[in-house]
Amino acid sequence: MAEQTPSKRLKMTGSGPLIGTHNGHFHADEALAVYMLKSLPTYNHSSLVRTRDPNLLSTCHTVVDVGGEYHPAQNRYDHHQRTFTMTFPSRPTKLSSAGLVYLHFGKPIIALQTGLEEGSQEVDILWKKVYEEFIEALDAHDNGISAYDPSETKKIKKRFYDGGIGLGSLVGDLNNNFDDEKGMTPDQAQEAEDQRFLTASSLMGTTFLRKLQYYHRAWLPARTLVHQTYDARKEYDEKGRVMVFSKNCPWKDHLYTLEAEHPDEEKVLFVLYPESEHEGSKWRIQAVSMSKDSFENRQGLPEAWRGVRDDQLSEISGIGGCIFAHASGFIGGNKTKEGALEMARRSVEM
């Protein structure tokens, strides 16, 4: 695409420090990097210049994903130079512009969005967690790094085509389609491209904020409850194979972490929790999967129960109040806590 003239491009400047990134085909990493910067008070009123012209980039206060320079003191955050090897602390993946901006500005962004003190332990925990669970995948995608070791996946074949759907592909879909610019002047084409980039940036930013909100409001508070429930698990099963929560919460991640810290202890096989916090709530029994992302259970509900419901399930199992057992055996339900607990006790001995 033809570059806009400097005079045209500079009309985009506003009252805040000018942010620069490249024009042309855009990706998820710089779309998020720009959004994160603009979420900070310093950049709230900043405008964006999308160009590869070095003269224009030199007028920018902060430049991301272009310019061939990583120099935080000068607010330059590019990762494409051959000498660049920066990674997030204790992580192996080379950073993209998203990771770079998050590395330097993530903690103040988290503090601003959550109301927590920037120097607090909670912000540090969230900073690391959001990187590992969200930002790192964007860094890997932009740097062409597979989530799997190629030497171990040569013989793996997909059972079906998943469309490659992910944030990277959704952002990619916002780029020009064939003949989109037909009949446009270079200025009109650049303006249309810039608008699509802002749409991509909003998509990435909204997703980032929702992830942060989840880890702040749900995942982080759940840590204490999971620790307490893990410590009390032998009250229900002498080998500690059943955990009974007082309320449903994001337990999986914390459970795997606790188990890694206690390698000599029996693994938890089933987790029980009420469907709601209302009195008389029904209860769920859920099998623990082999790993965080696995669909394979350590031990599922008994085969004879699977796909059976209500009175028929109670008759087969010999347990009153049964509601259902999923056909795959990963989850079931009972009208009472006592009934769900009995389902768990029978299941661990199968």
Side-chain angles (χ1 to χ4, degrees), residues 200-321:
S201 186
S202 178
L203 168 66
M204 293 303 303
T206 300
T207 306
F208 167 73
L209 292 180
R210 287 184 64 82
K211 289 288 187 183
L212 175 57
Q213 183 183 68
Y214 165 76
Y215 287 115
H216 173 225
R217 297 185 180 179
W219 178 86
L220 191 60
R223 290 176 79 241
T224 300
L225 180 58
V226 175
H227 278 244
Q228 293 171 345
T229 305
Y230 184 82
D231 290 342
R233 70 196 186 286
K234 292 184 180 179
E235 294 178 14
Y236 302 97
D237 175 73
E238 62 180 11
K239 295 182 180 180
R241 295 168 295 180
V242 178
M243 285 175 63
V244 182
F245 284 95
S246 58
K247 60 181 178 179
N248 192 13
C249 70
W251 53 266
K252 284 189 178 183
D253 197 27
H254 301 302
L255 173 59
Y256 294 126
T257 299
L258 278 170
E259 289 183 329
E261 294 171 356
H262 300 84
D264 297 328
E265 296 280 353
E266 285 264 3
K267 299 292 186 184
V268 176
L269 300 180
F270 293 97
V271 165
L272 277 59
Y273 52 87
E275 290 185 1
S276 73
E277 296 184 34
H278 300 301
E279 186 177 353
S281 170
K282 298 172 184 177
W283 278 69
R284 291 288 180 99
I285 169 175
Q286 184 170 341
V288 179
S289 55
M290 296 295 290
S291 62
K292 181 179 174 183
D293 298 317
S294 173
F295 287 103
E296 183 181 357
N297 301 320
R298 291 173 175 172
Q299 184 162 321
L301 296 173
E303 286 282 352
W305 300 3
R306 300 181 185 184
V308 185
R309 298 187 61 88
D310 304 321
D311 291 343
Q312 185 182 3
L313 178 56
S314 290
E315 183 178 350
I316 291 173
S317 66
I319 302 169

Side-chain angles (χ1 to χ4, degrees), residues 89-243:
S90 302
R91 301 303 300 175
T93 305
K94 189 171 77 169
L95 300 178
S96 68
S97 62
L100 275 176
V101 169
Y102 186 78
L103 177 71
H104 291 282
F105 299 96
K107 287 186 178 181
I109 290 172
I110 291 170
L112 184 67
Q113 294 295 329
T114 63
L116 298 169
E117 291 292 329
E118 184 177 333
S120 67
Q121 182 184 22
E122 290 86 352
V123 165
D124 187 63
I125 290 171
L126 290 171
W127 181 63
K128 294 173 181 175
K129 186 64 177 176
V130 171
Y131 181 78
E132 293 173 9
E133 298 293 330
F134 180 58
I135 307 289
E136 186 169 21
L138 302 177
D139 287 343
H141 181 269
D142 197 71
N143 284 303
I145 300 170
S146 173
Y148 302 96
D149 183 342
S151 65
E152 298 177 359
T153 59
K154 290 180 180 179
K155 296 183 179 180
I156 293 178
K157 294 182 179 180
K158 288 184 177 180
R159 291 177 173 173
F160 57 88
Y161 179 60
D162 60 11
I165 299 299
L167 283 175
S169 71
L170 294 177
V171 168
D173 289 344
L174 291 168
N175 279 283
N176 286 339
N177 289 314
F178 179 70
D179 257 3
D180 273 354
E181 298 176 5
K182 187 174 182 179
M184 291 186 182
T185 66
D187 285 356
Q188 290 171 335
Q190 184 66 64
E191 184 177 356
E193 181 185 283
D194 288 344
Q195 288 302 313
R196 285 193 296 270
F197 176 83
L198 294 177
T199 300
S201 186
S202 178
L203 168 66
M204 293 303 303
T206 300
T207 306
F208 167 73
L209 292 180
R210 287 184 64 82
K211 289 288 187 183
L212 175 57
Q213 183 183 68
Y214 165 76
Y215 287 115
H216 173 225
R217 297 185 180 179
W219 178 86
L220 191 60
R223 290 176 79 241
T224 300
L225 180 58
V226 175
H227 278 244
Q228 293 171 345
T229 305
Y230 184 82
D231 290 342
R233 70 196 186 286
K234 292 184 180 179
E235 294 178 14
Y236 302 97
D237 175 73
E238 62 180 11
K239 295 182 180 180
R241 295 168 295 180
V242 178
M243 285 175 63

